[in-house]
Short mmCIF file of all heavy atoms in Angstrom, two decimals:
data_model
loop_
_atom_site.label_atom_id
_atom_site.label_comp_id
_atom_site.label_asym_id
_atom_site.label_seq_id
_atom_site.Cartn_x
_atom_site.Cartn_y
_atom_site.Cartn_z
N LYS N 114 18.86 2.54 -2.49
CA LYS N 114 19.07 1.99 -1.14
C LYS N 114 19.36 3.07 -0.07
O LYS N 114 18.71 2.94 0.96
CB LYS N 114 20.30 1.02 -1.12
CG LYS N 114 20.17 -0.22 -2.16
CD LYS N 114 19.03 -1.11 -1.87
CE LYS N 114 18.88 -2.10 -2.97
NZ LYS N 114 17.55 -2.59 -3.25
N ASN N 115 20.20 4.05 -0.36
CA ASN N 115 20.43 5.11 0.54
C ASN N 115 19.48 6.27 0.25
O ASN N 115 20.00 7.33 -0.28
CB ASN N 115 21.89 5.54 0.39
CG ASN N 115 22.32 5.73 -1.09
OD1 ASN N 115 21.71 5.27 -2.03
ND2 ASN N 115 23.39 6.59 -1.27
N MET N 116 18.27 6.19 0.62
CA MET N 116 17.13 7.05 0.07
C MET N 116 17.39 8.52 0.42
O MET N 116 17.40 9.33 -0.46
CB MET N 116 15.85 6.47 0.65
CG MET N 116 14.62 7.16 0.03
SD MET N 116 14.48 6.95 -1.72
CE MET N 116 14.10 5.19 -1.93
N GLU N 117 17.62 8.77 1.69
CA GLU N 117 17.83 10.25 2.10
C GLU N 117 19.01 10.80 1.43
O GLU N 117 18.99 11.96 0.84
CB GLU N 117 17.82 10.35 3.60
CG GLU N 117 16.57 10.17 4.23
CD GLU N 117 16.57 10.74 5.74
OE1 GLU N 117 17.27 11.54 6.05
OE2 GLU N 117 15.79 9.98 6.44
N GLU N 118 20.10 10.13 1.42
CA GLU N 118 21.47 10.76 0.91
C GLU N 118 21.28 10.94 -0.60
O GLU N 118 21.60 11.97 -1.13
CB GLU N 118 22.50 9.65 1.19
CG GLU N 118 23.85 10.19 0.81
CD GLU N 118 24.93 9.02 0.86
OE1 GLU N 118 24.60 8.00 1.55
OE2 GLU N 118 25.95 9.14 0.33
N ARG N 119 20.66 9.96 -1.35
CA ARG N 119 20.58 10.11 -2.79
C ARG N 119 19.48 11.21 -3.12
O ARG N 119 19.68 11.92 -4.18
CB ARG N 119 20.21 8.84 -3.32
CG ARG N 119 20.24 8.73 -4.81
CD ARG N 119 21.65 8.92 -5.49
NE ARG N 119 21.69 8.85 -6.89
CZ ARG N 119 22.49 9.63 -7.66
NH1 ARG N 119 23.26 10.49 -6.99
NH2 ARG N 119 22.47 9.55 -8.94
N ALA N 120 18.48 11.19 -2.37
CA ALA N 120 17.40 12.24 -2.61
C ALA N 120 17.95 13.63 -2.46
O ALA N 120 17.69 14.52 -3.32
CB ALA N 120 16.19 12.02 -1.64
N ALA N 121 18.78 13.79 -1.50
CA ALA N 121 19.35 15.11 -1.34
C ALA N 121 20.31 15.53 -2.44
O ALA N 121 20.36 16.65 -2.97
CB ALA N 121 20.14 15.22 0.02
N GLU N 122 21.16 14.57 -2.94
CA GLU N 122 22.00 14.72 -4.05
C GLU N 122 21.19 15.06 -5.25
O GLU N 122 21.50 16.01 -6.01
CB GLU N 122 22.89 13.44 -4.35
CG GLU N 122 23.93 13.13 -3.34
CD GLU N 122 24.55 11.82 -3.54
OE1 GLU N 122 24.16 11.08 -4.48
OE2 GLU N 122 25.36 11.36 -2.75
N ILE N 123 20.18 14.33 -5.45
CA ILE N 123 19.37 14.53 -6.77
C ILE N 123 18.63 15.85 -6.70
O ILE N 123 18.52 16.53 -7.68
CB ILE N 123 18.42 13.33 -6.92
CG1 ILE N 123 19.30 12.10 -7.31
CG2 ILE N 123 17.35 13.58 -8.01
CD1 ILE N 123 18.43 10.74 -7.26
N ASP N 124 18.25 16.23 -5.52
CA ASP N 124 17.49 17.43 -5.38
C ASP N 124 18.43 18.62 -5.75
O ASP N 124 17.97 19.60 -6.43
CB ASP N 124 17.00 17.67 -3.83
CG ASP N 124 16.03 18.80 -3.69
OD1 ASP N 124 15.13 19.09 -4.57
OD2 ASP N 124 16.16 19.40 -2.63
N ALA N 125 19.69 18.52 -5.46
CA ALA N 125 20.62 19.54 -5.71
C ALA N 125 20.94 19.64 -7.31
O ALA N 125 21.56 20.60 -7.74
CB ALA N 125 21.88 19.33 -4.97
#
Side-chain angles (χ1 to χ4, degrees):
K114 305 294 177 214
N115 50 339
M116 192 56 71
E117 284 195 32
E118 186 189 340
R119 188 66 179 140
E122 286 171 3
I123 289 169
D124 192 37

